[in-house]
Amino acid sequence: MKFSKKFTAAAMVAAMILVAGCGGSGDKKAAAPAAGADKKVTLKLASQFPESHWLVQNMISLQKKAAAKSNGTIDIQISHSGATFKDKNMNDAIMSGALDLGLNTVARWAQVIPAMNVFDVPFLFPSYEQIDKAIDGGVGKMLGDELQKKGVRPLIWADYGFVVWANNKKLCKQPEDFKGMKIRGYSKYSSETLKAVGAASTTMSAGEVYMAIKNGTIDGQISGTPAMMSRKMYEVHKYLTITNNASPEFIVAMNEKSFQKLSANQQKALTEAAKEVQADIRKQAKDADMKATKQMQEKGCEIYNLTDADIKTWQAATKPVWDMFVKENGETGKKLIEICTK
């Protein structure tokens, strides 16, 4: 009798376990996540560039790499063409936490950290390689530390390539050829460079430039040829002067609190993905410039490339802008210039 009762009780327990395992009530509940598994996180990333721009294509690469390396737990949602945040208000959104990630120019960050203007000091960088050498040699660390003080983490230093000068009046070769023209500058120091050669500078959002030139509000702009090509600027200005006078680096910046909300594994995955994308961007910057310049020419733009002698003339004309940068940034400015010219 005792054996029978024990057997009956054991059988009932076994039956209950079996029923629970099979969902005896008919409800099928999802299995609970394994202990320590990372929760899925959605990060919002904004860019002013259209989807076709090569830098946005690299943001899509970041999206895919981060998802793969985090086993699908990091979902980066990309908003392009200034749909959610434009370059003017993007950085405030990142610092406040309204936006997790943003691809924006150092020219905009310079409004918060003036030393960021180093990338717009005219003719400071003689080659694409020199830009990356400077960033890796201390410039990235110095400026990144300043960003961290603002609650922002620089994930990627994104080479933009060099800027050129475009207008719809005439083919310009020498600095004085731009005298009297009204040209859109994208930053404080690009505007000062324009003033140094006698041009009138105006600042506006990149998305407003096409109509401003078409309507005759301005005569031209300083920008990179990939951006010009992606926005079909060849329709409104026909003359390009390949000055390569500045390289307005872009930064993929992240709100530090958003980064700290990630698990250690997710932080590692995102950082590794960002490092790979930064390396890819560096390889692509020069090719993107060359390809877009050729495309602009094929669309009917007339192009002038500065000679070595021309560059010396331009350097002399814009030397006051170098002096201004050092004066405004003191020892930090001197140190940055020293690193960049090594």
Side-chain angles (χ1 to χ4, degrees):
M1 182 66 69
K2 290 181 180 180
F3 175 81
S4 177
K5 288 181 178 179
K6 288 180 179 179
F7 176 80
T8 301
M12 289 177 66
V13 171
M16 290 172 65
I17 293 172
L18 180 62
V19 169
C22 295
S25 65
D27 295 331
K28 294 183 178 181
K29 296 181 180 179
D38 294 326
K39 295 180 180 179
K40 188 170 183 178
V41 177
T42 298
L43 300 174
K44 297 186 183 299
L45 186 153
S47 169
Q48 64 173 329
F49 292 121
E51 188 175 14
S52 60
H53 193 280
W54 69 281
L55 280 179
V56 177
Q57 290 301 305
N58 275 282
M59 295 305 96
I60 294 173
S61 176
L62 176 66
Q63 176 189 58
K64 293 177 179 177
K65 286 178 181 290
K69 291 178 181 295
S70 66
N71 294 318
T73 64
I74 296 178
D75 176 25
I76 299 177
Q77 296 182 355
I78 301 172
S79 170
H80 56 79
S81 305
T84 53
F85 294 98
K86 299 187 183 300
D87 54 349
K88 288 182 178 180
N89 61 4
M90 189 184 301
N91 295 345
D92 285 338
I94 296 170
M95 288 187 287
S96 70
L99 179 65
D100 300 303
L101 292 153
L103 171 67
N104 209 359
T105 173
V106 292
R108 289 298 181 189
W109 281 112
Q111 295 173 5
V112 180
I113 302 167
M116 287 280 187
N117 281 314
V118 67
F119 293 99
D120 276 338
V121 174
F123 301 98
L124 179 60
F125 301 104
S127 68
Y128 294 86
E129 294 75 20
Q130 188 66 24
I131 300 167
D132 297 333
K133 181 182 177 183
I135 291 171
D136 296 342
V139 170
K141 176 69 167 57
M142 287 180 66
L143 298 179
D145 287 348
E146 293 304 310
L147 278 173
Q148 290 280 7
K149 294 176 184 178
K150 305 296 181 181
V152 176
R153 174 179 293 261
L155 278 184
I156 297 175
W157 289 94
D159 288 358
Y160 178 76
F162 286 107
V163 296
V164 304
W165 295 33
N167 79 91
N168 63 357
K169 296 294 185 182
K170 63 181 180 179
L171 186 63
C172 298
K173 301 178 180 181
Q174 301 303 316
E176 59 268 24
D177 293 338
F178 284 94
K179 188 174 182 179
M181 287 192 192
K182 193 170 185 179
I183 307 292
R184 181 255 181 177
Y186 56 86
S187 67
K188 174 182 177 179
Y189 276 74
S190 65
S191 295
E192 292 299 330
T193 302
L194 284 163
K195 294 174 186 177
V197 303
S201 173
T202 184
T203 303
M204 62 181 66
S205 179
E208 301 170 359
V209 176
Y210 182 100
M211 290 306 299
I213 295 177
K214 185 176 181 178
N215 295 335
T217 305
I218 60 176
D219 301 312
Q221 65 168 327
I222 300 178
S223 185
T225 51
M228 290 182 187
M229 190 65 203
S230 65
R231 294 192 174 99
K232 300 182 179 181
M233 299 304 297
Y234 51 81
E235 295 177 350
V236 292
H237 57 53
K238 297 297 181 183
Y239 304 106
L240 297 182
T241 306
I242 309 301
T243 54
N244 288 353
N245 60 285
S247 179
E249 194 81 0
F250 273 66
I251 303 174
V252 178
M254 184 172 188
N255 176 274
E256 182 64 24
K257 290 182 180 179
S258 294
F259 183 80
Q260 293 302 332
K261 288 178 182 178
L262 302 178
S263 70
N265 288 334
Q266 290 171 327
Q267 290 178 356
K268 182 173 183 289
L270 182 58
T271 302
E272 288 181 353
K275 187 175 181 180
E276 290 180 10
V277 171
Q278 177 171 290
D280 291 341
I281 289 173
R282 287 184 172 185
K283 294 174 185 175
Q284 298 167 16
K286 184 175 182 179
D287 288 342
D289 276 356
M290 297 302 103
K291 178 181 178 182
T293 300
K294 183 179 179 182
Q295 290 173 328
M296 291 288 286
Q297 191 169 30
E298 290 171 348
K299 290 293 185 179
C301 291
E302 195 172 346
I303 294 173
Y304 181 74
N305 290 283
L306 296 189
T307 65
D308 290 342
D310 291 334
I311 290 174
K312 290 181 180 179
T313 301
W314 279 80
Q315 286 175 326
T318 57
K319 179 61 167 54
V321 185
W322 279 58
D323 299 337
M324 178 184 293
F325 177 78
V326 173
K327 181 178 180 180
E328 290 186 349
N329 292 278
E331 289 303 316
T332 297
K334 290 179 182 178
K335 180 62 177 177
L336 288 169
I337 293 289
E338 180 185 326
I339 296 171
C340 292
T341 54
K342 279 184 179 178

